[in-house]
Amino acid sequence: MEQYPSPDMADVQLVTVLSALADPIRLDIVRALADGRPHPKTAEVWHFDVQKSTLSHHFRILREAGLTRTIVDGRSHAIQLRRAELDERFPGLIASLVDATA
Amino acid sequence: MEQYPSPDMADVQLVTVLSALADPIRLDIVRALADGRPHPKTAEVWHFDVQKSTLSHHFRILREAGLTRTIVDGRSHAIQLRRAELDERFPGLIASLVDATA
DNA sequence: CCGATCGTTCGACATCTGTCGAACTATGAG
DNA sequence: CTCATAGTTCGACAGATGTCGAACGATCGG
C-alpha cells in the first residue's frame, strides 16, 4: 500500500527534524509519543485547540520529517514515533526532549 | 551595560530553543560553538553565503532564544554558547546535536 | 579630528507556515 | 445499498521568517 510514506532514516536531515519539533503542538505530540507505542490520531484524544484539518497537517509534517509512521487500520489511523531508528540516527535527541521540563 | 541581553535560562522554553535551531545556518553555528568558547562574529570566519546583516540577524535569534551570549570587546564582538546553563536546563540536547551526523 | 572598520538596525520583499472550513475519500454499521 | 464516521486534501488567508542593501553607531588608528 505505501499509503503514508515516511522517508528512509538515512536520508533524514537533523535540521528537518528540528524544524518539525519547532512547533508547540508537534513538540507535545512527539513527547507524548515517546513511549514508542502507537497512539490514535483521533482529534478528541489530543486536547489541542485546533481543527482536525490542522491536526492532520501536523501529523503529516511529523511523518514527512521522518519522526513518525502511520499505521492504518480500517478507518482509524494510529501514529507511532520511530523511536529505535531515531535513537540510532540521532542518539540522545529524543531522550533530551522527554527529559526536559518543556 | 547589558547591551545584548540574553534571557534567564529558567525562562527559556524548549520550543523556542528548537525554533532557533531549526535553520541550517543557525544549526551550523551552534554546532561550531559547542566547544563552549567564544568565537568571533566576523562574517568572513563563517563561510556562509549570506550578507553580514543576515548573519547578524541569526546571531540575534540565537541570543534571544537563550542559546548564546555576546561578548563585546571594543568594536569586535564574540559569541559564545551558554553550554553549562543549557546542559543543566536541557540535559543531553546540545550533546545530541554535536554527536549527530547532520 | 578623520576616516576606516565592525557590527547592528531598518524597511522592503518574497516565501514559508499555521490555521480554518469545506469538500472529498474510504471504511464500517445497519 | 445507504448513511455515518475518521481522517485527508484543498484553497484561502494572515502572520512569521530569511534575505538583502542602505543607513547608522561605535570604536580604533593615524
Side-chain angles (χ1 to χ4, degrees):
Chain A
M1 287 297 116
E2 268 306 339
Q3 204 142 13
Y4 295 99
S6 308
D8 281 354
M9 192 54 71
D11 298 336
V12 173
Q13 298 296 117
L14 177 55
V15 71
T16 308
V17 169
L18 292 171
S19 297
L21 295 168
D23 175 276
I25 291 183
R26 292 196 296 265
L27 181 55
D28 269 13
I29 293 174
V30 169
R31 284 160 59 99
L33 257 43
D35 59 21
R37 296 185 317 193
H39 290 238
K41 287 189 180 173
T42 321
E44 293 75 33
V45 173
W46 306 90
H47 65 298
F48 303 118
D49 198 21
V50 293
Q51 294 307 117
K52 62 177 183 171
S53 56
T54 300
L55 197 51
S56 185
H57 164 72
H58 287 307
F59 287 143
R60 171 196 282 261
I61 298 285
L62 289 174
R63 173 173 50 78
E64 291 182 346
L67 280 161
T68 61
R69 68 173 61 87
T70 296
I71 300 164
V72 179
D73 175 29
R75 62 186 158 169
S76 69
H77 295 198
I79 184 174
Q80 183 178 30
L81 194 66
R82 297 170 64 183
R83 186 70 202 253
E85 293 170 89
L86 286 165
D87 285 349
E88 191 188 344
R89 177 74 182 81
F90 305 112
L93 177 58
I94 302 297
S96 75
L97 302 178
V98 178
D99 285 1
T101 59
Chain B
M1 282 300 116
E2 266 307 341
Q3 203 142 10
Y4 295 98
S6 309
D8 281 355
M9 190 55 68
D11 297 336
V12 173
Q13 298 297 116
L14 177 55
V15 73
T16 307
V17 169
L18 293 172
S19 297
L21 295 168
D23 175 276
I25 292 183
R26 292 197 296 265
L27 181 55
D28 270 12
I29 293 173
V30 168
R31 284 158 60 98
L33 258 43
D35 59 22
R37 296 185 317 194
H39 290 238
K41 286 189 181 174
T42 322
E44 293 75 34
V45 174
W46 305 91
H47 65 297
F48 304 118
D49 199 23
V50 293
Q51 295 306 117
K52 60 176 182 170
S53 55
T54 302
L55 197 51
S56 185
H57 164 72
H58 287 307
F59 287 143
R60 172 197 280 263
I61 300 285
L62 289 174
R63 173 174 48 80
E64 291 181 346
L67 279 161
T68 61
R69 68 172 63 86
T70 294
I71 300 166
V72 179
D73 174 30
R75 63 185 158 169
S76 70
H77 296 198
I79 184 174
Q80 183 178 30
L81 194 67
R82 298 170 63 182
R83 184 72 201 253
E85 292 169 89
L86 286 165
D87 284 349
E88 190 187 345
R89 179 73 182 80
F90 304 113
L93 177 58
I94 302 297
S96 76
L97 302 178
V98 178
D99 286 1
T101 60

